[in-house]
Amino acid sequence: MTTAEIILGIVLFAVAALLVIAGIRSFQNRGYLFNNAYIYASEEERKTMDKRPYYRQSGVVFLLLGLLFTIIGISVVLQNGKICLMEVPVGAAAIIYAIASSVQISRNGKDS
């Protein structure tokens, strides 16, 4: 394994760890809310909105992205291209979950 692969592996695992930490903090409803609905909301809307579903959505997506970066890191460290095939379903799951949960949150918000 070359020095570049070692550095790349370290960077990938560090990013994965940061994403997992951000996901755990989101599940605890702590920290900045990394969600477009919150970021683009006005100050009045931010004060009145229920942030729990957005924290949950962000937490799940962060954990899935952490898993994705872990898989990429393992693939680099083990130098096995077949492991990369596991990236596709995890990435697809993150995208599908983000879209489906956004639709679900907007439906629940309109019912209230």
Side-chain angles (χ1 to χ4, degrees):
M1 188 158 49
T2 65
T3 305
E5 290 171 333
I6 293 171
I7 293 171
L8 180 60
I10 291 170
V11 169
L12 288 169
F13 287 126
V15 170
L18 290 174
L19 287 168
V20 169
I21 290 169
I24 291 169
R25 288 184 53 86
S26 290
F27 278 120
Q28 296 172 340
N29 295 336
R30 296 176 62 194
Y32 186 76
L33 180 55
F34 292 101
N35 194 294
N36 284 341
Y38 180 77
I39 293 171
Y40 292 122
S42 67
E43 286 296 322
E44 298 83 30
E45 291 173 332
R46 287 182 181 182
K47 290 177 183 176
T48 60
M49 75 187 319
D50 181 19
K51 297 177 190 81
R52 286 177 292 150
Y54 298 110
Y55 270 117
R56 183 177 187 280
Q57 178 188 34
S58 296
V60 170
V61 171
F62 280 137
L63 289 180
L64 285 172
L65 290 176
L67 176 62
L68 182 67
F69 274 86
T70 301
I71 293 169
I72 296 170
I74 291 170
S75 173
V76 169
V77 169
L78 297 179
Q79 298 176 349
N80 187 345
K82 292 181 181 179
I83 296 175
C84 290
L85 296 175
M86 293 184 350
E87 297 170 17
V88 176
V90 174
I95 292 169
I96 291 169
Y97 175 79
I99 294 169
S101 63
S102 294
V103 170
Q104 183 69 28
I105 290 170
S106 67
R107 283 186 184 166
N108 289 343
K110 291 179 182 177
D111 293 339
S112 302

